[in-house]
Short mmCIF file of all heavy atoms in Angstrom, two decimals:
data_model
loop_
_atom_site.label_atom_id
_atom_site.label_comp_id
_atom_site.label_asym_id
_atom_site.label_seq_id
_atom_site.Cartn_x
_atom_site.Cartn_y
_atom_site.Cartn_z
N GLU J 23 -12.46 21.47 -2.25
CA GLU J 23 -11.74 20.39 -2.91
C GLU J 23 -10.29 20.77 -3.16
O GLU J 23 -9.38 19.96 -2.98
CB GLU J 23 -12.44 20.05 -4.22
CG GLU J 23 -11.88 18.86 -4.94
CD GLU J 23 -12.67 18.55 -6.20
OE1 GLU J 23 -13.90 18.47 -6.11
OE2 GLU J 23 -12.03 18.41 -7.25
N LYS J 24 -10.05 22.00 -3.55
CA LYS J 24 -8.69 22.48 -3.80
C LYS J 24 -7.88 22.51 -2.51
O LYS J 24 -6.70 22.13 -2.50
CB LYS J 24 -8.75 23.88 -4.42
CG LYS J 24 -7.44 24.38 -4.95
CD LYS J 24 -7.62 25.70 -5.66
CE LYS J 24 -6.32 26.19 -6.23
NZ LYS J 24 -6.47 27.47 -6.92
N GLU J 25 -8.50 22.92 -1.39
CA GLU J 25 -7.81 22.93 -0.10
C GLU J 25 -7.45 21.51 0.33
O GLU J 25 -6.37 21.27 0.86
CB GLU J 25 -8.69 23.58 0.96
CG GLU J 25 -8.83 25.07 0.80
CD GLU J 25 -9.85 25.67 1.77
OE1 GLU J 25 -10.51 24.91 2.51
OE2 GLU J 25 -10.00 26.90 1.76
N HIS J 26 -8.36 20.55 0.09
CA HIS J 26 -8.08 19.16 0.45
C HIS J 26 -6.94 18.60 -0.39
O HIS J 26 -6.09 17.88 0.12
CB HIS J 26 -9.34 18.31 0.28
CG HIS J 26 -9.15 16.90 0.73
ND1 HIS J 26 -8.93 15.87 -0.14
CD2 HIS J 26 -9.12 16.34 1.97
CE1 HIS J 26 -8.78 14.75 0.53
NE2 HIS J 26 -8.89 15.01 1.82
N GLN J 27 -6.91 18.94 -1.68
CA GLN J 27 -5.81 18.48 -2.54
C GLN J 27 -4.46 19.01 -2.07
O GLN J 27 -3.47 18.29 -2.08
CB GLN J 27 -6.07 18.89 -3.99
CG GLN J 27 -7.20 18.16 -4.65
CD GLN J 27 -6.95 16.67 -4.78
OE1 GLN J 27 -5.82 16.24 -4.94
NE2 GLN J 27 -8.00 15.88 -4.68
N SER J 28 -4.42 20.27 -1.63
CA SER J 28 -3.16 20.82 -1.14
C SER J 28 -2.76 20.18 0.19
O SER J 28 -1.58 19.97 0.46
CB SER J 28 -3.24 22.34 -1.01
OG SER J 28 -4.16 22.71 0.00
N LEU J 29 -3.75 19.84 1.02
CA LEU J 29 -3.47 19.15 2.28
C LEU J 29 -2.88 17.78 2.01
O LEU J 29 -1.86 17.41 2.60
CB LEU J 29 -4.76 19.00 3.11
CG LEU J 29 -4.65 18.17 4.37
CD1 LEU J 29 -4.04 19.00 5.48
CD2 LEU J 29 -5.99 17.63 4.77
N VAL J 30 -3.48 17.04 1.09
CA VAL J 30 -3.00 15.70 0.75
C VAL J 30 -1.61 15.77 0.12
O VAL J 30 -0.76 14.93 0.38
CB VAL J 30 -4.01 14.99 -0.18
CG1 VAL J 30 -3.43 13.73 -0.77
CG2 VAL J 30 -5.29 14.69 0.58
N ALA J 31 -1.37 16.78 -0.68
CA ALA J 31 -0.06 16.92 -1.33
C ALA J 31 1.05 17.24 -0.33
O ALA J 31 2.21 16.97 -0.59
CB ALA J 31 -0.13 18.00 -2.40
N SER J 32 0.69 17.81 0.81
CA SER J 32 1.70 18.20 1.80
C SER J 32 2.07 17.07 2.76
O SER J 32 2.96 17.24 3.59
CB SER J 32 1.20 19.40 2.61
OG SER J 32 0.15 19.00 3.48
N VAL J 33 1.41 15.92 2.65
CA VAL J 33 1.70 14.80 3.55
C VAL J 33 3.09 14.25 3.26
O VAL J 33 3.48 14.06 2.11
CB VAL J 33 0.64 13.68 3.39
CG1 VAL J 33 1.01 12.46 4.21
CG2 VAL J 33 -0.72 14.19 3.79
N ALA J 34 3.84 13.98 4.34
CA ALA J 34 5.18 13.41 4.21
C ALA J 34 5.33 12.28 5.22
O ALA J 34 4.54 12.15 6.15
CB ALA J 34 6.23 14.48 4.46
N VAL J 35 6.35 11.46 5.04
CA VAL J 35 6.62 10.36 5.95
C VAL J 35 6.93 10.93 7.33
O VAL J 35 7.67 11.90 7.47
CB VAL J 35 7.80 9.51 5.43
CG1 VAL J 35 8.20 8.45 6.45
CG2 VAL J 35 7.44 8.87 4.11
N GLY J 36 6.30 10.36 8.34
CA GLY J 36 6.50 10.80 9.72
C GLY J 36 5.40 11.71 10.23
O GLY J 36 5.32 11.99 11.43
N ASP J 37 4.53 12.18 9.35
CA ASP J 37 3.43 13.06 9.77
C ASP J 37 2.35 12.26 10.48
O ASP J 37 2.06 11.12 10.12
CB ASP J 37 2.80 13.75 8.56
CG ASP J 37 3.70 14.79 7.94
OD1 ASP J 37 4.72 15.15 8.55
OD2 ASP J 37 3.38 15.23 6.82
N SER J 38 1.72 12.88 11.47
CA SER J 38 0.56 12.29 12.13
C SER J 38 -0.67 12.73 11.35
O SER J 38 -0.80 13.89 10.99
CB SER J 38 0.45 12.77 13.56
OG SER J 38 1.56 12.34 14.31
N ILE J 39 -1.58 11.78 11.11
CA ILE J 39 -2.77 12.09 10.32
C ILE J 39 -4.03 11.62 11.02
O ILE J 39 -3.98 10.78 11.91
CB ILE J 39 -2.70 11.45 8.91
CG1 ILE J 39 -2.67 9.93 9.00
CG2 ILE J 39 -1.52 11.98 8.12
CD1 ILE J 39 -2.94 9.25 7.68
N LEU J 40 -5.15 12.19 10.60
CA LEU J 40 -6.48 11.75 11.01
C LEU J 40 -7.18 11.31 9.73
O LEU J 40 -7.17 12.02 8.73
CB LEU J 40 -7.25 12.89 11.67
CG LEU J 40 -8.72 12.64 11.99
CD1 LEU J 40 -8.87 11.55 13.04
CD2 LEU J 40 -9.39 13.92 12.47
N THR J 41 -7.79 10.12 9.76
CA THR J 41 -8.47 9.59 8.58
C THR J 41 -9.95 9.94 8.62
O THR J 41 -10.47 10.37 9.65
CB THR J 41 -8.32 8.06 8.50
OG1 THR J 41 -9.00 7.47 9.60
CG2 THR J 41 -6.86 7.65 8.51
N THR J 42 -10.63 9.71 7.50
CA THR J 42 -12.06 9.98 7.43
C THR J 42 -12.86 9.09 8.37
O THR J 42 -13.95 9.45 8.79
CB THR J 42 -12.59 9.78 6.00
OG1 THR J 42 -12.24 8.47 5.57
CG2 THR J 42 -12.04 10.82 5.06
N SER J 43 -12.31 7.94 8.73
CA SER J 43 -13.01 7.04 9.64
C SER J 43 -12.71 7.34 11.10
O SER J 43 -13.21 6.67 11.99
CB SER J 43 -12.67 5.59 9.32
OG SER J 43 -11.28 5.40 9.34
N GLY J 44 -11.88 8.36 11.37
CA GLY J 44 -11.63 8.79 12.74
C GLY J 44 -10.40 8.18 13.39
O GLY J 44 -10.21 8.33 14.59
N PHE J 45 -9.58 7.48 12.64
CA PHE J 45 -8.38 6.87 13.20
C PHE J 45 -7.19 7.82 13.09
O PHE J 45 -7.00 8.48 12.07
CB PHE J 45 -8.03 5.57 12.47
CG PHE J 45 -9.02 4.47 12.69
CD1 PHE J 45 -9.84 4.05 11.66
CD2 PHE J 45 -9.15 3.87 13.92
CE1 PHE J 45 -10.76 3.04 11.85
CE2 PHE J 45 -10.07 2.86 14.13
CZ PHE J 45 -10.88 2.44 13.09
N TYR J 46 -6.39 7.86 14.16
CA TYR J 46 -5.15 8.62 14.15
C TYR J 46 -4.00 7.66 13.87
O TYR J 46 -3.98 6.54 14.37
CB TYR J 46 -4.90 9.29 15.51
CG TYR J 46 -5.84 10.43 15.79
CD1 TYR J 46 -7.00 10.25 16.51
CD2 TYR J 46 -5.54 11.70 15.33
CE1 TYR J 46 -7.86 11.30 16.77
CE2 TYR J 46 -6.39 12.77 15.58
CZ TYR J 46 -7.55 12.56 16.30
OH TYR J 46 -8.39 13.61 16.55
N GLY J 47 -3.04 8.10 13.06
CA GLY J 47 -1.91 7.25 12.75
C GLY J 47 -0.73 8.07 12.27
O GLY J 47 -0.80 9.30 12.16
N VAL J 48 0.37 7.37 11.99
CA VAL J 48 1.60 8.01 11.53
C VAL J 48 1.95 7.41 10.17
O VAL J 48 1.95 6.19 9.99
CB VAL J 48 2.75 7.77 12.52
CG1 VAL J 48 4.05 8.36 12.01
CG2 VAL J 48 2.41 8.35 13.89
N VAL J 49 2.26 8.26 9.21
CA VAL J 49 2.63 7.82 7.86
C VAL J 49 4.04 7.25 7.93
O VAL J 49 4.97 7.92 8.38
CB VAL J 49 2.56 8.98 6.86
CG1 VAL J 49 3.03 8.54 5.49
CG2 VAL J 49 1.17 9.56 6.79
N ILE J 50 4.20 5.99 7.47
CA ILE J 50 5.54 5.38 7.49
C ILE J 50 6.09 5.15 6.09
O ILE J 50 7.29 4.96 5.93
CB ILE J 50 5.55 4.07 8.29
CG1 ILE J 50 4.56 3.07 7.72
CG2 ILE J 50 5.27 4.33 9.75
CD1 ILE J 50 4.68 1.69 8.31
N ASP J 51 5.22 5.17 5.08
CA ASP J 51 5.67 5.01 3.70
C ASP J 51 4.57 5.54 2.79
O ASP J 51 3.41 5.57 3.17
CB ASP J 51 5.94 3.54 3.39
CG ASP J 51 6.70 3.35 2.08
OD1 ASP J 51 7.31 4.33 1.60
OD2 ASP J 51 6.67 2.23 1.54
N MET J 52 4.94 5.98 1.60
CA MET J 52 3.94 6.49 0.68
C MET J 52 4.37 6.31 -0.77
O MET J 52 5.54 6.26 -1.09
CB MET J 52 3.61 7.96 0.95
CG MET J 52 4.74 8.88 1.23
SD MET J 52 4.26 10.51 1.83
CE MET J 52 3.13 11.08 0.64
N THR J 53 3.34 6.17 -1.62
CA THR J 53 3.53 6.17 -3.06
C THR J 53 2.67 7.30 -3.60
O THR J 53 2.21 8.15 -2.84
CB THR J 53 3.11 4.82 -3.68
OG1 THR J 53 1.73 4.61 -3.44
CG2 THR J 53 3.91 3.67 -3.11
N GLU J 54 2.41 7.29 -4.89
CA GLU J 54 1.66 8.38 -5.49
C GLU J 54 0.23 8.48 -4.97
O GLU J 54 -0.27 9.56 -4.67
CB GLU J 54 1.63 8.21 -7.02
CG GLU J 54 1.06 9.40 -7.73
CD GLU J 54 1.20 9.26 -9.23
OE1 GLU J 54 2.22 8.72 -9.69
OE2 GLU J 54 0.28 9.71 -9.93
N ASP J 55 -0.47 7.35 -4.85
CA ASP J 55 -1.88 7.35 -4.42
C ASP J 55 -2.12 6.73 -3.06
O ASP J 55 -3.19 6.90 -2.49
CB ASP J 55 -2.74 6.58 -5.43
CG ASP J 55 -2.76 7.23 -6.79
OD1 ASP J 55 -2.46 8.44 -6.87
OD2 ASP J 55 -3.06 6.54 -7.77
N VAL J 56 -1.15 6.00 -2.54
CA VAL J 56 -1.35 5.21 -1.32
C VAL J 56 -0.34 5.61 -0.26
O VAL J 56 0.82 5.86 -0.55
CB VAL J 56 -1.20 3.70 -1.65
CG1 VAL J 56 -1.31 2.85 -0.40
CG2 VAL J 56 -2.22 3.28 -2.68
N VAL J 57 -0.82 5.66 0.99
CA VAL J 57 0.07 5.85 2.13
C VAL J 57 -0.06 4.63 3.02
O VAL J 57 -1.14 4.03 3.12
CB VAL J 57 -0.26 7.13 2.94
CG1 VAL J 57 0.06 8.36 2.16
CG2 VAL J 57 -1.68 7.15 3.42
N ILE J 58 1.02 4.24 3.66
CA ILE J 58 0.97 3.16 4.64
C ILE J 58 1.04 3.82 6.00
O ILE J 58 1.98 4.56 6.30
CB ILE J 58 2.12 2.15 4.43
CG1 ILE J 58 1.96 1.50 3.06
CG2 ILE J 58 2.10 1.10 5.54
CD1 ILE J 58 3.06 0.55 2.69
N VAL J 59 0.02 3.56 6.79
CA VAL J 59 -0.15 4.25 8.07
C VAL J 59 -0.02 3.23 9.20
O VAL J 59 -0.56 2.13 9.14
CB VAL J 59 -1.53 4.94 8.14
CG1 VAL J 59 -1.69 5.70 9.43
CG2 VAL J 59 -1.71 5.87 6.96
N GLU J 60 0.70 3.65 10.24
CA GLU J 60 0.87 2.82 11.44
C GLU J 60 -0.09 3.35 12.49
O GLU J 60 -0.04 4.53 12.84
CB GLU J 60 2.32 2.94 11.90
CG GLU J 60 2.71 2.02 13.01
CD GLU J 60 4.20 2.11 13.25
OE1 GLU J 60 4.62 3.09 13.87
OE2 GLU J 60 4.92 1.21 12.80
N PHE J 61 -0.98 2.49 12.98
CA PHE J 61 -1.99 2.89 13.94
C PHE J 61 -1.66 2.36 15.32
O PHE J 61 -1.23 1.23 15.47
CB PHE J 61 -3.37 2.36 13.51
CG PHE J 61 -3.87 2.97 12.24
CD1 PHE J 61 -3.78 2.29 11.05
CD2 PHE J 61 -4.42 4.23 12.24
CE1 PHE J 61 -4.26 2.85 9.88
CE2 PHE J 61 -4.89 4.81 11.07
CZ PHE J 61 -4.80 4.11 9.89
N GLY J 62 -1.92 3.17 16.34
CA GLY J 62 -1.79 2.74 17.73
C GLY J 62 -0.36 2.52 18.16
O GLY J 62 0.60 2.82 17.46
N SER J 63 -0.22 1.98 19.36
CA SER J 63 1.11 1.74 19.92
C SER J 63 1.70 0.42 19.44
O SER J 63 2.87 0.16 19.61
CB SER J 63 1.05 1.76 21.45
OG SER J 63 0.15 0.77 21.90
N ASN J 64 0.86 -0.43 18.84
CA ASN J 64 1.33 -1.70 18.30
C ASN J 64 2.02 -1.43 16.97
O ASN J 64 1.40 -1.05 16.00
CB ASN J 64 0.14 -2.64 18.10
CG ASN J 64 0.56 -4.01 17.62
OD1 ASN J 64 1.73 -4.26 17.38
ND2 ASN J 64 -0.40 -4.88 17.45
N LYS J 65 3.30 -1.64 16.90
CA LYS J 65 4.06 -1.31 15.70
C LYS J 65 3.80 -2.28 14.54
O LYS J 65 4.30 -2.10 13.46
CB LYS J 65 5.57 -1.29 16.02
CG LYS J 65 5.95 -0.29 17.08
CD LYS J 65 5.62 1.12 16.65
CE LYS J 65 6.03 2.12 17.71
NZ LYS J 65 5.57 3.44 17.47
N ASN J 66 3.00 -3.33 14.77
CA ASN J 66 2.70 -4.28 13.71
C ASN J 66 1.40 -3.94 12.99
O ASN J 66 1.01 -4.65 12.08
CB ASN J 66 2.61 -5.70 14.28
CG ASN J 66 3.96 -6.18 14.76
OD1 ASN J 66 4.98 -5.82 14.21
ND2 ASN J 66 3.96 -6.97 15.82
N CYS J 67 0.72 -2.90 13.39
CA CYS J 67 -0.56 -2.54 12.77
C CYS J 67 -0.31 -1.48 11.70
O CYS J 67 -0.40 -0.28 11.95
CB CYS J 67 -1.53 -2.02 13.83
SG CYS J 67 -3.16 -1.67 13.17
N ARG J 68 0.01 -1.94 10.51
CA ARG J 68 0.30 -1.04 9.38
C ARG J 68 -0.71 -1.32 8.29
O ARG J 68 -0.85 -2.45 7.83
CB ARG J 68 1.72 -1.27 8.87
CG ARG J 68 2.74 -0.94 9.93
CD ARG J 68 4.12 -1.23 9.46
NE ARG J 68 5.06 -0.81 10.49
CZ ARG J 68 6.36 -0.91 10.39
NH1 ARG J 68 6.89 -1.43 9.30
NH2 ARG J 68 7.13 -0.50 11.36
N ILE J 69 -1.40 -0.27 7.87
CA ILE J 69 -2.49 -0.43 6.90
C ILE J 69 -2.29 0.52 5.72
O ILE J 69 -2.10 1.71 5.92
CB ILE J 69 -3.85 -0.14 7.57
CG1 ILE J 69 -4.07 -1.12 8.73
CG2 ILE J 69 -4.98 -0.23 6.56
CD1 ILE J 69 -5.28 -0.83 9.55
N PRO J 70 -2.32 -0.01 4.48
CA PRO J 70 -2.28 0.88 3.32
C PRO J 70 -3.65 1.52 3.11
O PRO J 70 -4.68 0.88 3.30
CB PRO J 70 -1.91 -0.04 2.17
CG PRO J 70 -2.30 -1.40 2.61
CD PRO J 70 -2.26 -1.41 4.11
#
């Protein structure tokens, strides 16, 4: 749990991530608890 918390704390805008559901995406914006991730080559697919 501590390792996961440090991983989540290190996320920054522009990083590529893998989600628990298996989707790859790029972080385009973030707040304290929420990140907005852009999935796929379609630039309109942005999901908080």
